[in-house]
Amino acid sequence: MKSFLIFFLFFFQIILSAQDGGVLYEPDYSNCSEGKTPYVKAVDLTKHFELDKKLKAAIESGDRVLERQIRLQMDELYKDQIKIMENNGDIEPITVAPPMPNSTEWINGDIKIFDGYISQLGSGNKRIDIKLAEDGNLYVALIQAAEGNFLGRAVVYSSSNGGATWNFIGGMQSQTLYFAHISMAVELMSNTNFDSTKILLFVSASENPNFNDATIRFASFLRNNTSWYSSLVLTPSAGNKLLYPSVVTDGQYYSLGTFIGVTCGEYKKRLLSNDSTSFC
């Protein structure tokens, strides 16, 4: 039975720099709404890249003893970032599928997954994520626009026939938080039990529709929409916001313990004139 150990890697609009062959990463945000935001941190990832290369070589060679040794070394690097998350009450499960109103299709015969407005206005990209899981099913997660009493909603659908038909699985919703930017992982907790397939969602969430002070929130549930869990994961520094979460896992290598992590960007608020809602 797999146990999900969750660690979080912070990506604060950084220059990833290292000595002795390290990798210099300088992201380009010039064409997006976060353009011209200054880099605020530098992280030396030399050791991380070295171990990652050694781990890849050990896996490809089939040397399980060496692989285990390298993973233990990697655990030492990450141990200070491991966080046991507590269930948080401001995110709720979705148990009833959103309505599917009739509408004109783009092309006759199009396969419809969801019919409605996607995401909060002005929330940018990363509104939809899709995964092919180990149970053989396709999974789609999307952020639904605010509706009724709920400001934020993220719903998940699955297909067992290659996308010909889709069924509602579940999701997460909040009466106090708007959602923007979603990332999903789907992991099998037991190779002999496909019903152990767990869906893990990460979203940027904020009490403000402009996503000022946005945090990263997390929810997980099995493919039958049971075993619900949700939590606050990351909070930004004062005056900043966390956007564009991306899930990272090592599930493709492990059949026992799987690490689940998330990277995101931390963006600094910059006021334009007297407009306190404008960012870049």
Side-chain angles (χ1 to χ4, degrees), residues 211-230:
F211 294 97
N212 186 14
D213 302 316
T215 60
I216 301 298
R217 304 282 175 145
F218 163 82
S220 69
F221 46 92
L222 295 177
R223 71 176 190 177
N224 64 358
N225 204 19
T226 63
S227 300
W228 168 263
Y229 187 89
S230 69

Side-chain angles (χ1 to χ4, degrees), residues 132-146:
L132 175 60
E134 293 172 294
D135 63 358
N137 294 341
L138 286 169
Y139 290 84
V140 168
L142 60 91
I143 296 176
Q144 183 182 355

